[in-house]
Amino acid sequence: MVEGRSGEVNMTAKGYPEIHTYKWSKSGSFIPRRTDGYDQLPGVTMEGPVVFFNQVSRHDSGAYTCVAQNVEGSASATLTLNVLYPAVIFNITENVEVSEGESVQLECFADGNPLSEDTITWRRQGSSGTQLVSVNSEPGHSILTISNLTRNDGHVLECVADNGVGNPSIRTAHVTVLCK
């Protein structure tokens, strides 16, 4: 599910005699019953075999177990909720001064779900999407290296984090080339 959205899952069990109780839990904690006050609040509630996800957050991700019970015994099933949320840059190399002829490394860190090696890209500010190649990239972390800088390489660069969920996150890095 995408963060902020709502949904429900029905895990109705069949048995003889009829099922008389359902219990839902996540990580050993029981999910509260849905009541009139809970149906509008964000979070997870249950009513019998149905678990309700209302305005889910990333913290609602995880394994949910439903136990159905009758007088003969019980059976359980588990579902995994994966909450997707937009990529957000939380740290970037912002200002760098470097002498002409030297190299510079810029780093950008992002969080989001999902994250892949191509979630983070770099570009010159004002360019029409021309990407710069980052040599070291892993999910949520990218290092851009620019070698043998000249006085013309002083730019404002943009780190763009986009995982396809929501809007991209963009932060800038200023590269100043010092020269004689």
Side-chain angles (χ1 to χ4, degrees), residues 78-91:
T78 300
L79 71 93
T80 301
L81 176 66
N82 182 18
V83 179
L84 307 178
Y85 54 95
V88 175
I89 297 168
F90 64 86
N91 195 6

Side-chain angles (χ1 to χ4, degrees), residues 142-158:
S142 178
I143 300 172
L144 174 67
T145 303
I146 305 171
S147 301
N148 199 21
L149 289 163
T150 68
R151 64 186 70 212
N152 298 328
D153 290 325
H155 292 289
V156 177
L157 302 175
E158 293 179 331

Side-chain angles (χ1 to χ4, degrees), residues 115-154:
L115 285 177
S116 66
E117 290 179 8
D118 60 352
T119 298
I120 299 175
T121 56
W122 293 88
R123 66 184 181 204
R124 285 187 176 84
Q125 189 177 50
S127 69
S128 59
T130 305
Q131 292 183 5
L132 302 169
V133 178
S134 58
V135 288
N136 295 328
S137 212
E138 59 187 51
H141 180 217
S142 178
I143 300 172
L144 174 67
T145 303
I146 305 171
S147 301
N148 199 21
L149 289 163
T150 68
R151 64 186 70 212
N152 298 328
D153 290 325

